[in-house]
Amino acid sequence: MNIIIACGASGGHIFPGVALAQELLKSRKDKVLIVCSDKPIDTEILQKSGCDFITMPQNPFVRTYNPLILLKFFTKLTKGIFLSLRLLTRRRPGCVIGFGGFVSGPVIFAAWCLRIPRIIHEQNFVAGLANRVGALFADRVAVSFEETKEFFSNNARVMTIGNPVRSSFINLDKARSRERFGLEKERFTIFVMGGSQGASAINSAIVDAMGSMEHMQKHRLQIIHVTGQNDYETVKKRYQKDNIKSKVFPFIEEVDRAYTASDLVISRAGATTIAELTYFGRPSILIPYLAENVHQKENAYYLSRNNAAVTMEEKDLNIDNVKAIILNFLEHPDRLDKVSKNSKRLGNPNAAKMLADEVAALSGESNVKE
């Protein structure tokens, strides 16, 4: 059976799309095609994934009353719908799944026009505009959080399944993972992941906080730090200067090993990060990236309300606050364990399989009707 997955414009949309594609290819041997934007981040992720994909021109939604800009947007939107209709007519998929973002909308609408079964998946706590509109044309809506159902009017079609994570992720042995990074087995290990955007604020605060630790505190801590390309050399030299045991990377491929090796994670609060944290059951300090509108902030506070993380807004990001939270977790292993269990409880490691089963069921319903 042909399956088409529409996702793109950010890793938060693409990674769960890839996870679903891998599950479908693994369990049912379906022919899966991913439709993404022509942004470099989309093509880079998908080339590494090994999934078949095609690109469509970028056309992000614009909030403006300027008639010329609106005309340009709707012209591109019409072109996107036409390209989607042509693709779906040629491929005749058994189901189309949209993961949000501006690529998803035209593909889902085209599938509705052609009466091809359609599923929307929302990764964030607050539903995005593309998915709220797309849900009007969908047969099913899948959400990552139970409370997200409130953003969709027809609750009978909405199901809570969690956010799919990549099938390559496995829970590895903590001691062996630390050994793989050249770290000590007994030290309290922090995994810092600033993300591709806005990493500098986190990098600076963490380096300063670690450097301000007393000698004995430093001796009990070690760090895995993913800096992004720009801050790599600066962060690496600072840890060396301050005598902090560390492994610093501009980016990391074995992110599952880093999660497994860690006792505490410090990161942004994108939907994919939240899914990974809860998959591995890791306590975290979440620092939402506010340029992402409300999504990251609401994702972070959802974990905080469930005592699965500590949320720190960027305006409060300073040496004293970061240091205090790290040391609180270091000195209270019972609290660390409780937050870890709460984090694990919020995750669903079977999200990809559940969504793949829904794809199969909806495709089967369509075949029966035909």
Side-chain angles (χ1 to χ4, degrees):
M1 186 194 326
N2 285 324
I3 303 293
I4 287 182
I5 297 171
C7 56
S10 75
H13 296 305
I14 298 172
F15 285 125
V18 169
L20 174 61
Q22 291 172 338
E23 180 64 31
L24 289 166
L25 291 168
K26 176 182 70 175
S27 60
R28 294 180 178 81
K29 309 302 180 185
D30 295 300
K31 295 180 180 178
V32 181
L33 178 70
I34 295 179
V35 182
C36 65
S37 82
D38 55 5
K39 290 179 67 174
I41 187 173
D42 289 29
T43 54
E44 182 181 345
I45 292 171
L46 288 167
Q47 284 170 352
K48 290 180 180 179
S49 75
C51 296
D52 291 334
F53 70 96
I54 61 170
T55 63
M56 285 198 177
Q58 299 180 46
N59 187 31
F61 179 74
V62 290
R63 291 175 171 83
T64 180
Y65 294 106
N66 186 311
L68 292 178
I69 296 176
L70 286 171
L71 177 62
K72 183 178 180 181
F73 169 76
F74 283 108
T75 300
K76 285 187 174 182
L77 179 62
T78 302
K79 181 180 179 181
I81 293 171
F82 173 77
L83 291 172
S84 299
L85 285 167
R86 188 170 66 179
L87 171 68
L88 299 185
T89 300
R90 188 171 70 246
R91 304 280 296 209
R92 296 307 300 184
C95 189
V96 172
I97 307 94
F99 280 87
F102 51 78
V103 171
S104 181
V107 180
I108 289 293
F109 181 73
W112 176 78
C113 292
L114 297 172
R115 297 299 182 263
I116 297 169
R118 305 157 305 282
I119 300 176
I120 289 288
H121 184 279
E122 175 57 57
Q123 300 89 60
N124 289 294
F125 186 87
V126 174
L129 179 61
N131 273 347
R132 279 183 277 173
V133 174
L136 301 174
F137 305 98
D139 297 297
R140 301 282 191 278
V141 177
V143 297
S144 299
F145 308 99
E146 183 68 23
E147 292 89 337
T148 307
K149 289 181 176 181
E150 297 175 6
F151 291 92
F152 301 101
S153 57
N154 187 355
N155 284 347
R157 296 185 298 119
V158 183
M159 52 194 173
T160 305
I161 68 162
N163 194 3
V165 299
R166 285 163 279 181
S167 62
S168 59
F169 279 1
I170 54 174
N171 275 299
L172 302 159
D173 179 76
K174 178 174 282 191
R176 289 183 181 178
S177 293
R178 290 182 180 181
E179 185 178 350
R180 178 71 169 260
F181 288 113
L183 298 173
E184 294 181 18
K185 293 181 180 179
E186 301 303 323
R187 288 199 190 197
F188 187 91
T189 305
I190 305 169
F191 174 31
V192 180
M193 186 169 47
S196 59
Q197 293 179 303
S200 290
I202 293 179
N203 292 340
S204 297
I206 302 305
V207 167
D208 290 341
M210 294 295 290
S212 71
M213 298 280 184
E214 296 177 3
H215 175 74
M216 289 305 297
Q217 292 168 342
K218 290 180 182 179
H219 190 68
R220 296 173 63 190
L221 297 167
Q222 58 190 359
I223 195 162
I224 303 167
H225 195 141
V226 181
T227 63
Q229 195 65 54
N230 293 338
D231 293 345
Y232 170 68
E233 290 294 339
T234 301
V235 170
K236 186 175 181 179
K237 288 176 182 177
R238 276 291 305 275
Y239 283 138
Q240 290 172 346
K241 177 178 176 291
D242 293 331
N243 197 28
I244 306 293
K245 189 167 185 60
S246 61
K247 292 295 292 186
V248 183
F249 304 91
F251 59 91
I252 191 168
E253 293 287 348
E254 293 182 311
V255 68
D256 51 345
R257 285 195 178 276
Y259 279 120
T260 307
S262 66
D263 295 298
L264 177 68
V265 178
I266 303 175
S267 72
R268 293 297 189 184
T272 295
T273 299
I274 299 298
E276 292 170 355
L277 286 168
T278 56
Y279 177 85
F280 288 101
R282 286 297 175 265
S284 57
I285 303 172
L286 296 174
I287 306 158
Y289 183 50
L290 296 184
E292 292 290 338
N293 205 341
V294 299
H295 293 300
Q296 289 208 10
K297 187 174 180 179
E298 292 299 331
N299 292 345
Y301 277 112
Y302 172 79
L303 260 65
S304 294
R305 287 195 299 272
N306 286 276
N307 195 23
V310 174
T311 296
M312 179 186 298
E313 295 192 28
E314 197 157 315
K315 61 183 175 61
D316 301 318
L317 186 61
N318 58 55
I319 295 174
D320 291 338
N321 288 341
V322 173
K323 182 178 176 180
I325 297 172
I326 290 173
L327 292 178
N328 185 274
F329 277 119
L330 176 66
E331 301 296 344
H332 297 90
D334 54 335
R335 184 193 178 205
L336 187 77
D337 183 63
K338 184 176 181 180
V339 176
S340 177
K341 288 177 180 176
N342 288 337
S343 177
K344 188 72 172 178
R345 177 176 54 82
L346 294 177
N348 182 3
N350 296 315
K353 185 178 186 306
M354 289 175 65
L355 189 54
D357 289 343
E358 194 63 33
V359 169
L362 196 57
S363 302
E365 288 177 15
S366 176
N367 292 334
V368 169
K369 290 176 184 176
E370 292 177 355

